Amino acid sequence: MKNIIATICVLCTLSIASAEDKILKREAGIAGGWPEIQTDEGSNAKAVNEKAMMVSWGDVVFMYGPETDAGVGTPEQIRNMMKYWKSNGFTQIFWRGEDNRDPNFVWNESTMYAEASFIRKEYSRVMSSFDTTDCAIKSAHEMGMKIYMWASVFDDGTAANKPHRFWSDRFPWRNILFDKHPELEVRDRKGDVQWGVRELVYPLARSTKIADYINVVKKYPDLDGVLIYIHSHSAAGFHGDQYGFNQPIVDEYKKRYGVDILTDAQFDYKNPKFNPKDEAVEKWRSLRGEYLTQFLREIKSALGQVRPGLQVVVNTQGGDYMGPPFGNIRTDWRTWINEGLIDEIIVRTWMAGSAGAYDFSKEGYLTWGDGNLGVTPYVEMRKAIDKSGRDIKLLTRTRAYIEGADGYYDSSNRDESYPKKQRAIQLQENLAKYGKIVFIDQNFENVLPLEKTSCLDCTFGGKRWFIGDARYYSSKNSSPGFAGPFTTNVNSSPALVDVTGINGKGFAAYIDSDGKELTVIRRTGPGWPDLPLSSGHVTISFAIYRKPGAKLSIGTLNYGNQAQPATIQLIISDSGKITASSANKWVDAKLGVAQNCWQLVNISVNFEKGTFVLAVDNSSSAPIQLEKEKAAFNGLGFRCRSQDAFVDDLKITVIK
C-alpha cells in the first residue's frame, strides 16, 4: 500500500473531472494489441487537427464502473468525461450505444460465463435508469464536439455451444437472424461457418444491417453521423483465404470466369500448390470486396434519404484487404473516396476483437494493421483523397502528427490512466476518513434465490452462479468480491447453506471434497482502476467450521495473473494442524483448527517486512517469510480435500 499511498498523496491536491479548471490530463495507456497507445502525443510542432475518442460503452461500464467517471454509468459521469475529452483536445466522439442493440441479439444461456452474465445485468441496470446515448449526444454538443453512433457490421455472435478459435465454446451472444437464415454467414470450402460474420453478397445481410443504422438515426436526430465499424469478436480463420465460398459467390465467379472455386484446387489454401499471388485468386478476393462497396453505396443512400448531409465514417486496417478476422477480402477504399461514399476514413484499426495481441503474420493475411503488414502509406492515401477533390478526413490511431493525416482516434477502454488517478483520490479520501480500505467483505447473505440475484456460469458443467461484484464501491469503502461457483443443490459444493443450526450466523459457503474450489476475487491490474495488493499492511480474516477429518487448502489468488505463484498458502490437515508457505516453502505454523465449532482465522500480511502472521482465535504463529518480490493478490480460494467444511465472513482489509 505504501506505493499506492505515495501516488495518492501526489494526486490528492487535484480535483476530479467535475472541476473544469483542474481536469486530469491524459497519459500513455496500455497496449493489448495496440502499441501506439503506449506513447504520449509527443511534441511535434504541427498540431493534430482532429482527435476522435471511441467509447465502447458496454466495456467501460463494466471495467471502470461503478464509481469512476470513465465508467460512464450516470449522466454526471458522462458529462464529466465529455469535459475531460474536450479539455484534452478531442473534437469527435464515437459512441457505441448498447441501448440501441438489434432486438434479434440474445444471450447464449447454455454457454454463459459469470462475467458476461454480470455485464448483462450491469447493462440492464444502467440502461433502465436513463438514455445513455441521448445524454452522450447532449453532453458532447454542449462541449462543442461532434458525436457519431457506431455499431459493428460483422459482430453477430456465435451460436450456442459452437467452437470459437479463441473463446472455446462459451461465446456469450448471438443474433438469431442467422439461426433463421443460416445461409447468410460466411462459409469455407467445406461448408464450415465463420460464426457471426455476414456475407454481404446477400441483399438481406446488407439490408438488415442498414436498417439498424437507420433506426438509430431516426431515434436520435441530433447525431452528427455514424461510424460503419468493421470489427468483430468472431473467430478469425486459420488462413486469410479460408472463407468466402458461399453459393452466390461461387455462382457469380463461375458466371464471370467459368471456374468452380469449390472444386478448383487453386482456391484451396491447404493445397501445397496454392499461390496467394494467383490472378484468379485475386479476382475472387475482389469479387467479395465488391459487395462491401455495394453495402456502403446502399447505406450512404439510405442515410441520405433520412438525414441529408449526415456524415459517414468507415474504418479499415489501412491496406487493400480487410485482414483478420475477415480474411483477404479486397478493400476498395479508393472507390469509396472517389464516389463520395464516406466523409472520413480511419486506418490501422484493430478488427479482431476476440484475438487480443495474437500474431497473424504467418497465416496468409495480406493486410494486418497491428503487424504493419500490407498497409498503404498515409501520404499515398492523402494523395488519393486530394485527387478526388472531396473533403474527406483521414485519421490514424497513432498519438502524434503524421504527414498526410488529419488526426487520430483513441479508445476510452484502453486509456486507463484517468480512472486509476480518480480511484487513487477516492482511496486517499477513504483512508483519511475510515483509517482503512475494505478490499473484500463477503458474508454470503441476502443472495437467494441465486437464479434471480446472481450471475449464471455454465463453464463448470451445468448451471452455477457467482454472487457479488468484483469492483470497488468508493461510496461504501468496500467490495463484496465475486464469489462462486455456487450450485443450488446443498449436496453439491460450493453451496450456500443456512448454518444457524451449527451456531453460525445465517448463511455460509459449504465446501466438500467432491466439489469445486470456492473463490472470492476482485478485478485488478491492467485495464482496471484498482491494483492487486502488494504493499503496506493487509489483514485477511474468515470464519471456518471444520467437520471431523476435513482437510483444506486455502490460498491467495491473483486473478488475471494466474501464472504468478500464490503469495500465501495454508493446508489444514485432517487432524486440524496448519502448515503455511509462501512460494512452496512450507513451515509448521504451530496452530490448529478444531472440529465441529466455528473459529476465526486471521492472516496479518506486512509486505514491507516481507512476513505474515497467522492467528486462530487468540493464538498466533511466529512471523512467516513472504517471497516478497512476487507477493501480490486480489482474492482467496478454498478447497476441501476430504470430508466437508463451511466458510463465512471473509474480509480482506488494507490498514492505514
Side-chain angles (χ1 to χ4, degrees):
M1 193 65 188
K2 180 179 179 181
N3 295 336
I4 298 175
I5 294 174
T7 302
I8 294 170
C9 290
V10 173
L11 297 169
C12 65
T13 58
L14 298 175
S15 65
I16 59 176
S18 58
E20 292 185 53
D21 59 338
K22 293 183 179 179
I23 298 293
L24 298 175
K25 296 300 180 182
R26 292 171 62 256
E27 295 180 355
I30 60 172
W34 196 330
E36 293 90 342
I37 204 168
Q38 289 182 309
T39 60
D40 290 314
E41 291 182 15
S43 57
N44 196 299
K46 293 188 177 181
V48 174
N49 295 323
E50 296 287 345
K51 292 168 66 173
M53 176 57 69
M54 183 173 288
V55 185
S56 183
W57 182 86
D59 291 325
V60 294
V61 163
F62 172 48
M63 293 163 53
Y64 298 146
E67 294 180 349
T68 72
D69 290 337
V72 293
T74 68
E76 181 183 15
Q77 289 173 348
I78 290 176
R79 287 191 290 269
N80 286 344
M81 288 309 294
M82 292 296 179
K83 292 177 184 178
Y84 167 64
W85 291 321
K86 176 66 175 180
S87 73
N88 282 278
F90 283 87
T91 57
Q92 305 176 24
I93 303 295
F94 297 124
W95 186 267
R96 181 181 182 180
E98 299 290 341
D99 43 357
N100 297 291
R101 175 166 283 203
D102 184 334
N104 281 314
F105 274 79
V106 299
W107 293 88
N108 289 334
E109 292 289 334
S110 62
T111 55
M112 185 63 67
Y113 57 96
E115 283 197 347
S117 182
F118 182 89
I119 291 170
R120 175 174 61 174
K121 289 178 60 178
E122 192 71 348
Y123 284 2
S124 298
R125 180 189 68 81
V126 175
M127 289 188 296
S128 64
S129 62
F130 73 109
D131 188 326
T132 61
T133 300
D134 182 66
C135 181
I137 293 170
K138 291 176 180 176
S139 299
H141 285 164
E142 287 172 4
M143 293 293 106
M145 297 183 291
K146 292 183 177 181
I147 184 166
Y148 304 77
M149 176 64 69
W150 70 270
S152 297
V153 177
F154 300 98
D155 206 9
D156 289 294
T158 298
N161 302 303
K162 296 297 182 181
H164 187 290
R165 182 179 177 187
F166 299 107
W167 286 11
S168 185
D169 61 349
R170 57 192 187 107
F171 202 87
W173 71 81
R174 175 67 169 165
N175 185 341
I176 58 174
L177 168 71
F178 296 96
D179 297 331
K180 301 172 184 176
H181 297 279
E183 74 280 1
L184 299 183
E185 284 175 297
V186 170
R187 280 168 166 70
D188 66 11
R189 283 167 61 92
K190 297 188 299 181
D192 291 339
V193 177
Q194 187 178 23
W195 301 104
V197 179
R198 59 182 69 205
E199 177 55 80
L200 294 179
V201 68
Y202 297 98
L204 183 62
R206 301 194 300 271
S207 64
T208 50
K209 180 52 65 175
I210 291 170
D212 290 345
Y213 285 96
I214 294 297
N215 291 338
V216 169
V217 170
K218 287 181 176 179
K219 183 176 180 180
Y220 301 104
D222 291 331
L223 279 170
D224 296 292
V226 295
L227 167 61
I228 312 300
Y229 195 44
I230 300 175
H231 166 275
S232 183
H233 291 86
S234 294
F238 291 95
H239 189 278
D241 292 307
Q242 176 179 346
Y243 291 108
F245 295 88
N246 293 60
Q247 196 60 48
I249 295 290
V250 174
D251 294 343
E252 182 61 25
Y253 194 93
K254 189 171 185 178
K255 176 182 176 182
R256 294 187 188 186
Y257 307 112
V259 176
D260 187 341
I261 61 176
L262 280 178
T263 59
D264 194 312
Q266 68 182 325
F267 296 91
D268 181 2
Y269 78 92
K270 293 183 178 180
N271 190 309
K273 296 183 179 180
F274 175 76
N275 180 7
K277 297 181 180 180
D278 191 302
E279 182 181 357
V281 173
E282 188 59 31
K283 288 178 179 178
W284 163 64
R285 296 169 182 150
S286 296
L287 173 61
R288 294 191 71 201
E290 288 179 21
Y291 297 102
L292 174 59
T293 298
Q294 181 61 25
F295 170 72
L296 291 178
R297 290 190 183 109
E298 292 172 2
I299 196 168
K300 178 71 171 180
S301 174
L303 290 170
Q305 293 176 34
V306 175
R307 284 274 310 282
L310 189 78
Q311 299 283 291
V312 174
V313 184
V314 72
N315 67 297
T316 77
Q317 292 199 49
D320 291 334
Y321 304 89
M322 285 182 71
F326 306 108
N328 295 326
I329 303 170
R330 188 80 181 180
T331 303
D332 195 3
W333 55 270
R334 295 171 183 84
T335 295
W336 306 349
I337 290 170
N338 290 332
E339 293 187 13
L341 303 180
I342 57 175
D343 300 286
E344 186 167 298
I345 184 168
I346 311 173
V347 296
R348 312 288 175 96
T349 57
W350 183 55
M351 290 186 180
S354 66
Y358 183 81
D359 184 356
F360 288 101
S361 63
K362 297 180 181 179
E363 297 189 353
Y365 289 92
L366 300 180
T367 294
W368 177 40
D370 280 3
N372 205 35
L373 177 67
V375 294
T376 306
Y378 296 111
V379 290
E380 182 178 329
M381 300 191 79
R382 171 51 60 191
K383 287 179 181 178
I385 292 172
D386 291 344
K387 185 178 179 180
S388 74
R390 299 183 182 277
D391 182 16
I392 297 173
K393 292 183 174 64
L394 172 63
L395 268 62
T396 76
R397 71 173 190 185
T398 301
R399 286 177 170 171
Y401 174 81
I402 292 180
E403 188 71 32
D406 295 288
Y408 68 80
Y409 87 104
D410 209 334
S411 175
S412 64
N413 64 325
R414 295 189 179 276
D415 183 15
E416 64 181 23
S417 62
Y418 178 78
K420 283 187 181 297
K421 286 181 177 180
Q422 192 175 21
R423 177 53 48 78
I425 293 170
Q426 293 170 346
L427 292 173
Q428 170 67 16
E429 291 173 346
N430 282 345
L431 272 174
K433 182 177 181 179
Y434 301 106
K436 62 183 179 181
I437 299 295
V438 182
F439 190 79
I440 290 177
D441 187 358
Q442 180 56 254
N443 62 10
F444 307 106
E445 299 292 341
N446 303 315
V447 292
L448 296 179
L450 292 175
E451 298 93 326
K452 293 185 178 180
T453 66
S454 306
C455 299
L456 175 65
D457 192 301
C458 296
T459 63
F460 293 88
K463 291 184 176 182
R464 290 177 177 265
W465 283 266
F466 279 73
I467 65 173
D469 189 335
R471 306 168 304 167
Y472 175 74
Y473 286 74
S474 175
S475 61
K476 301 176 182 178
N477 189 33
S478 181
S479 169
F482 209 40
F486 292 108
T487 70
T488 55
N489 181 358
V490 296
N491 296 314
S492 178
S493 77
L496 294 172
V497 176
D498 187 340
V499 292
T500 54
I502 54 171
N503 298 317
K505 298 181 296 182
F507 284 83
Y510 167 75
I511 53 176
D512 66 17
S513 58
D514 295 325
K516 304 293 184 182
E517 179 183 22
L518 168 66
T519 63
V520 187
I521 61 98
R522 286 276 309 280
R523 289 307 306 263
T524 63
W528 301 88
D530 295 284
L531 299 172
L533 300 175
S534 61
S535 60
H537 185 194
V538 176
T539 63
I540 304 169
S541 64
F542 54 89
I544 192 163
Y545 185 102
R546 193 176 67 86
K547 288 190 175 181
K551 179 179 179 180
L552 297 99
S553 299
I554 302 167
T556 58
L557 304 172
N558 194 3
Y559 186 82
N561 188 13
Q562 285 88 333
Q564 180 178 332
T567 298
I568 297 170
Q569 298 181 80
L570 308 179
I571 290 180
I572 303 175
S573 72
D574 52 7
S575 66
K577 177 183 176 181
I578 301 177
T579 53
S581 86
S582 179
N584 291 315
K585 297 177 182 178
W586 292 93
V587 298
D588 182 354
K590 301 188 184 306
L591 295 171
V593 176
Q595 60 188 32
N596 290 334
C597 67
W598 287 98
Q599 290 191 281
L600 181 66
V601 177
N602 187 281
I603 308 171
S604 180
V605 186
N606 190 321
F607 285 101
E608 307 313 313
K609 291 183 178 180
T611 62
F612 65 96
V613 175
L614 288 175
V616 179
D617 289 340
N618 296 317
S619 300
S620 299
S621 73
I624 301 169
Q625 289 297 123
L626 285 173
E627 189 176 17
K628 190 174 178 180
E629 294 74 16
K630 298 181 180 180
F633 60 89
N634 58 17
L636 208 61
F638 300 82
R639 184 179 290 276
C640 197
R641 301 294 182 180
S642 64
Q643 302 304 320
D644 47 4
F646 301 90
V647 177
D648 203 0
D649 294 329
L650 170 62
K651 184 174 286 189
I652 300 177
T653 306
V654 179
I655 306 299
K656 185 175 180 180

